[in-house]
């Protein structure tokens, strides 16, 4: 019996040790599980926090984008309004000038017709009825053609300006084209002035009693106007060819301008 006591004590010790080991093992497992749960909860919390921050940043970006979009829209509308006001002002100014010019041309045409009667009588005395009539008809015919040509060029310039204004509203850079159009308009004005001056020069040219000399002088006057009209036409064609770069259908160029005929009234 006494010999068995140490064995029983050792067995009890081992049993107690085993129980403690199991207890420690369970405690470690519980701590491990608690640690896992804590890490999981922290991970979920961080994930939720990141998600909320991302949503916040996304909303801020969206709000800023909307604000910038609204600001750009307001600026665009403001620019369009300014362009429209300027375009309307220019259109009204051009219309007023055209009406004034048309009235002046009508008055000058009327005056020219009245003067033509007196010149015709004078020419009849110097050159004879038929020659006087021929030279008068020749000059009047050319004047009418030049006036019609200049009017067509002026209308085409107005159409081009409208296209440039629309292109500018879409944000296109039309500064260079506006300069070309301004040059073309200057050429048109020069042609119109040359035509007005031609009437005065014609009155001087027909004073020569020699029919051939008189007609040569008249023809020289007509050719001078024709040259100016050609230059205006070429300048507008240059603008028309450049407008195609705006991505729109370009306006058709004006018809070929009239020129002085190869031969005039015969003797």
């Amino acid at each position: 019996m006494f010999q068995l006591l140490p064995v029983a004590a050792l067995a009890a010790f081992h049993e107690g040790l085993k129980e403690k080991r199991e207890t420690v093992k369970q405690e470690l497992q519980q701590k491990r599980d608690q640690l896992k749960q804590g890490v999981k909860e922290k991970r979920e919390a961080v994930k939720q926090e990141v998600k909320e921050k991302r949503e916040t940043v996304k909303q801020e970006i969206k709000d800023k984008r909307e604000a910038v979009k609204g600001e750009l829209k307001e600026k665009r509308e403001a620019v369009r309004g300014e362009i429209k006001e300027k375009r309307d002002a220019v259109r009204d100014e051009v219309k007023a000038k055209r009406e004034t010019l048309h009235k002046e041309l009508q008055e000058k045409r009327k005056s020219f017709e009245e003067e033509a009667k007196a010149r015709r009588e004078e020419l009849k005395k110097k050159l004879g009825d038929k020659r006087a009539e021929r030279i008068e008809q020749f000059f009047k015919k050319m004047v009418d053609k030049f006036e019609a040509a200049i009017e067509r060029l002026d209308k085409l310039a107005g159409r081009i300006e409208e296209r440039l204004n629309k292109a500018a509203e879409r944000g296109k850079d039309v500064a260079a084209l506006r300069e070309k159009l301004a040059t073309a308009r200057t050429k048109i004005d020069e042609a119109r002035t040359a035509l007005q001056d031609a009437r005065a020069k014609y009155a001087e040219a027909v004073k020569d009693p020699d029919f051939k000399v008189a007609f040569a002088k008249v023809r020289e006057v007509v050719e001078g106007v024709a040259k100016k009209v050609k230059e205006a036409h070429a300048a507008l064609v240059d603008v028309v060819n450049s407008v195609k770069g705006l991505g729109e259908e370009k306006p058709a160029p004006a018809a070929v301008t009239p020129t002085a005929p190869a031969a005039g009234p015969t003797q």
Side-chain angles (χ1 to χ4, degrees), residues 91-151:
R91 183 175 57 194
D92 293 341
E93 183 179 356
V94 170
K95 183 179 179 181
K97 286 183 178 180
R98 187 179 291 117
E99 290 176 351
T100 301
L101 180 61
H102 182 70
K103 187 180 294 184
E104 290 177 356
L105 289 175
Q106 289 290 346
E107 292 175 354
K108 288 181 179 180
R109 189 179 293 114
K110 184 179 179 181
S111 175
F112 178 74
E113 291 295 335
E114 293 174 353
E115 292 173 359
K117 293 179 182 179
R119 281 197 308 270
R120 193 177 297 115
E121 294 300 322
E122 187 67 23
L123 284 172
K124 285 179 181 180
K125 294 178 184 179
K126 294 179 180 180
L127 307 176
D129 291 347
K130 289 185 178 180
R131 290 178 176 178
E133 190 66 27
R134 286 172 186 168
I135 200 169
E136 279 286 337
Q137 287 180 353
F138 167 74
F139 186 71
K140 184 177 183 304
K141 182 179 179 181
M142 295 310 300
V143 166
D144 291 341
K145 286 186 176 181
F146 286 137
E147 284 182 345
I150 292 171
E151 183 66 21

Side-chain angles (χ1 to χ4, degrees), residues 199-215:
R199 291 190 172 96
K201 291 179 180 179
Y202 171 76
E204 291 296 322
V206 296
K207 289 181 179 179
D208 198 302
D210 189 314
F211 175 75
K212 290 184 177 180
V213 174
F215 174 70

Side-chain angles (χ1 to χ4, degrees), residues 22-74:
E22 289 295 329
T23 300
V24 171
K25 186 177 179 181
Q26 290 177 0
E27 290 177 353
L28 288 175
Q29 185 63 39
Q30 290 177 356
K31 289 181 179 181
R32 191 180 293 112
D33 293 341
Q34 289 175 356
L35 183 60
K36 281 184 178 181
Q37 184 64 30
V39 171
K40 184 178 179 181
E41 290 176 354
K42 286 183 179 180
R43 188 182 293 116
E44 291 295 330
V46 171
K47 185 178 179 180
Q48 183 64 30
E49 185 179 355
V50 170
K51 183 179 179 181
E52 290 175 356
K53 286 183 178 180
R54 188 182 294 116
E55 292 295 330
T56 301
V57 172
K58 189 185 294 184
Q59 186 63 40
E60 289 177 355
I61 293 174
K62 184 178 179 181
D63 293 342
K64 287 181 180 179
R65 187 182 293 116
E66 292 295 328
V68 171
K69 186 177 178 181
E71 185 178 351
L72 289 175
K73 184 178 180 181
E74 291 177 359

